[in-house]
Amino acid sequence: MEKIDVAIVGAGLAGLSCAYKLAEKGFQVIVVERGDFPGSKNVTGGRLYLMPIKPLINDMLDEAPFERKVVREQWSLFGKEHSINIDFTGDRFRAQDHSFTILRAHFDRWLSEKLTAKGVFVIPKYRVDDLLWENGAVAGIKAGSEEIYAHVVVASDGVLSSIAEKAGLRPKMAPKNYAIGMKEVIELPEEKINDRFNVESAEGCAHLYLGDVTKGIFGGGFLYTNRNTVSIGVVAGIKAFMGKTPPIDAYALLDNFKERYEIKRLLDGGNLVEYAAHIIPEGGYNGISRLYGDGILVTGDAAGFALNMGVTVRGMEFAIASGVIAAETIIHAKERGDFSSKTLSFYERRLKETFVLQDIEACKEMPEFLENDDFFVFYPERFPGFLEKAMWFGESPKGKVGKTLWNELKSSGMLGFRRLKELYRIKNL
Ligand SMILES: Cc1cc2nc3c(=O)[nH]c(=O)nc-3n(C[C@H](O)[C@H](O)[C@H](O)COP(=O)(O)OP(=O)(O)OC[C@H]3O[C@@H](n4cnc5c(N)ncnc54)[C@H](O)[C@@H]3O)c2cc1C
């Protein structure tokens, strides 16, 4: 049976990055993608952190179609009728290439064209249905009537990876391990974006929202500026959705979010150019699948490599890094002439030496911590409420502001034992 070196399932960032590294070493690689083109089925909020992956990628992202460099961070707490906004910028963020906004339909397509120029076959419109086996080891892929034999199969097929499941590396997951994200891309003139978000051209803003955005469900909103579009969306935990009575319509969350006073004026006059919905892994460290088997490796979302840190969602740099490290592993395995799980276990060892498994492990307690409703209901309602009390000058005498706030604080329950204990847990995150 003639075999190619590597068959990669899925042309997202994990699959493409793996192929890129292998192509540099002259490996025979194919990437099979079910979408019309790489990027057509890939969804992200849109912010890629570059620093962690720099040591791994060499020139891979030179001349990449980044939208804007993020130099402004904003976080908002949305109560039902009021909100607080924190706005941060720093010289370091402007001076260095810390993070960029991207649009996957452009970005992934660009990367796959770069791969094609290096001799990699990226085959769109092909859905891999099954794995081929030989003596108990994975030996290739099956797409319709086509069979492709390979020394190693890389499962880069995203969050609901059927390939990892078929290889027996991933158990069926529970709803609490997933969130759903709804996203729109809205076109606005570049100068309007610069003015409304207080940035120069090529500079961008990343804005995250907690509170009434998700109507009490675990999750939040995001808004990222691109060159002449903005990406806006809402992410919400699937288990929390299922528990809501009366049920909440997922898409209505995004509609309501866009109708908020604080948001509406930012989008005014914009045209909707793209809409997408997608699942996000939320299981954290405990949601990670087995990462290797005989003849197979699992990368990116397929492995569960994503991190919701409350103040930001990270997945893309994990996808890229795990793709590159999977390629390093395959190079090592080819040198040994052995593609068994024993040699491929090098992958997990390398991941443990990098931010991929170190960061996800460090945030092990995050999923459970974020299950606390207080972060999505209580604090977003109370904090803006305090400020309203301080800022409001009505018909009756104002009295002592400090005393009013202290009384509010005491009666709110914020200083109660349970809440203080919860806050104390922050040190473990
Ligand atoms: C709403 C939302 C907001 C997010 N925000 C951010 C953010 O701001 N920053 C960040 O870093 N991360 C963010 N993430 C997470 C990030 O987008 C993912 O972690 C990342 O896209 C994972 O890349 P991947 O290559 O592993 O998977 P994907 O990009 O999902 O690629 C998987 C590919 O496999 C293909 N495929 C699947 N099955 C098959 C099959 N059987 N045969 C052939 N092809 C197949 C799919 O079509 C797809 O192209 C967000 C995610 C969502 C949904």
Side-chain angles (χ1 to χ4, degrees):
M1 188 67 57
E2 202 173 317
K3 285 187 176 179
I4 59 165
D5 289 320
V6 186
I8 299 174
V9 186
L13 290 177
L16 294 173
S17 306
C18 182
Y20 190 88
K21 274 281 151 183
L22 291 168
E24 277 180 344
K25 294 281 179 193
F27 276 55
Q28 237 183 334
V29 186
I30 62 154
V31 186
V32 184
E33 166 57 45
R34 68 180 172 172
D36 288 349
F37 59 88
S40 63
K41 286 202 174 280
N42 309 78
V43 183
T44 192
R47 180 185 196 171
L48 173 62
Y49 291 93
L50 222 49
M51 298 298 226
I53 52 172
K54 267 193 175 157
L56 295 167
I57 58 172
N58 300 333
D59 63 351
M60 186 174 92
L61 296 184
D62 287 359
E63 293 159 33
F66 294 123
E67 293 289 320
R68 287 176 185 248
K69 173 152 98 174
V70 177
V71 300
R72 199 163 210 107
E73 308 268 356
Q74 298 187 331
W75 301 276
S76 289
L77 281 184
F78 271 18
K80 281 195 174 58
E81 296 166 351
H82 35 216
S83 58
I84 290 183
N85 185 32
I86 297 174
D87 183 355
F88 166 85
T89 187
D91 289 348
R92 204 167 167 201
F93 284 66
R94 285 188 293 275
Q96 297 191 37
D97 289 344
H98 171 252
S99 67
F100 288 85
T101 55
I102 63 169
L103 290 166
R104 295 287 296 274
H106 299 164
F107 199 87
D108 293 24
R109 197 171 200 170
W110 167 84
L111 188 52
S112 88
E113 280 163 9
K114 208 168 162 173
L115 278 178
T116 309
K118 282 187 178 292
V120 174
F121 286 103
V122 182
I123 310 170
K125 298 185 193 169
Y126 260 91
R127 200 175 75 102
V128 174
D129 306 309
D130 218 337
L131 289 168
L132 300 170
W133 296 84
E134 240 176 36
N135 305 324
V138 172
I141 53 174
K142 201 165 182 242
S145 56
E146 306 272 349
E147 293 186 343
I148 300 168
Y149 282 85
H151 290 298
V152 183
V153 171
V154 181
S156 303
D157 52 336
V159 56
L160 298 175
S161 178
S162 62
I163 299 300
E165 214 171 296
K166 283 179 197 296
L169 298 177
R170 206 181 75 135
K172 286 217 182 302
M173 304 283 267
K176 74 170 192 173
N177 287 326
Y178 297 104
I180 180 161
M182 286 74 58
K183 174 191 171 185
E184 289 183 2
V185 178
I186 293 174
E187 193 174 47
L188 279 168
E190 188 170 340
E191 308 72 51
K192 275 216 163 102
I193 294 179
N194 299 348
D195 288 347
R196 288 180 188 178
F197 294 90
N198 197 12
V199 286
E200 304 286 334
S201 282
E203 291 182 345
C205 170
H207 199 144
L208 292 157
Y209 302 83
L210 270 191
D212 196 52
V213 185
T214 49
K215 307 287 172 208
I217 292 177
F218 148 73
F222 61 83
L223 198 160
Y224 297 115
T225 54
N226 305 312
R227 195 170 51 78
N228 60 357
T229 58
V230 297
S231 298
I232 182 165
V234 174
V235 172
I238 290 184
K239 184 171 169 230
F241 252 119
M242 289 163 66
K244 278 281 161 194
T245 35
I248 293 182
D249 172 7
Y251 194 64
L253 290 180
L254 182 51
D255 277 345
N256 291 338
F257 182 42
K258 290 192 309 176
E259 280 305 310
R260 286 280 300 221
Y261 166 83
E262 299 88 334
I263 302 294
K264 202 171 179 174
R265 29 191 305 285
L266 297 175
L267 306 179
D268 187 38
N271 291 325
L272 175 66
V273 290
E274 192 184 312
Y275 165 73
H278 205 274
I279 306 286
I280 309 177
E282 286 284 346
Y285 190 72
N286 295 323
I288 294 175
S289 73
R290 279 176 55 213
L291 300 172
Y292 58 89
D294 291 318
I296 184 162
L297 294 169
V298 190
T299 63
D301 272 13
F305 293 149
L307 200 50
N308 179 350
M309 302 179 72
V311 290
T312 188
V313 175
R314 296 171 61 191
M316 291 190 288
E317 81 260 34
F318 292 119
I320 292 174
S322 60
V324 169
I325 293 168
E328 283 178 9
T329 307
I330 295 166
I331 294 164
H332 166 75
K334 191 166 182 191
E335 279 164 8
R336 290 186 153 208
D338 173 28
F339 302 98
S340 70
S341 62
K342 188 165 173 243
T343 305
L344 295 184
S345 66
F346 176 85
Y347 177 53
E348 186 165 332
R349 287 204 302 282
R350 273 289 288 136
L351 288 169
K352 280 185 177 157
E353 289 165 7
T354 68
F355 74 94
V356 176
L357 283 179
Q358 287 181 15
D359 282 9
I360 299 179
E361 185 172 12
C363 294
K364 214 175 184 163
E365 297 193 26
M366 192 65 89
E368 197 198 322
F369 184 76
L370 291 177
E371 274 177 19
N372 182 350
D373 284 355
D374 280 355
F375 295 104
F376 309 102
V377 184
F378 181 80
Y379 295 113
E381 199 55 48
R382 290 295 164 160
F383 281 124
F386 289 151
L387 272 194
E388 190 176 281
K389 282 253 158 41
M391 306 308 294
W392 182 258
F393 292 83
E395 287 167 2
S396 23
K398 179 78 185 156
K400 289 185 177 174
V401 177
K403 191 172 175 195
T404 313
L405 287 181
W406 178 248
N407 288 339
E408 276 293 309
L409 201 61
K410 264 197 334 196
S411 64
S412 69
M414 205 177 286
L415 301 177
F417 180 67
R418 185 182 67 79
R419 290 214 164 84
L420 290 176
K421 204 172 106 195
E422 276 301 311
L423 278 184
Y424 184 67
R425 286 179 64 201
I426 286 179
K427 71 177 190 351
N428 299 327
L429 301 179

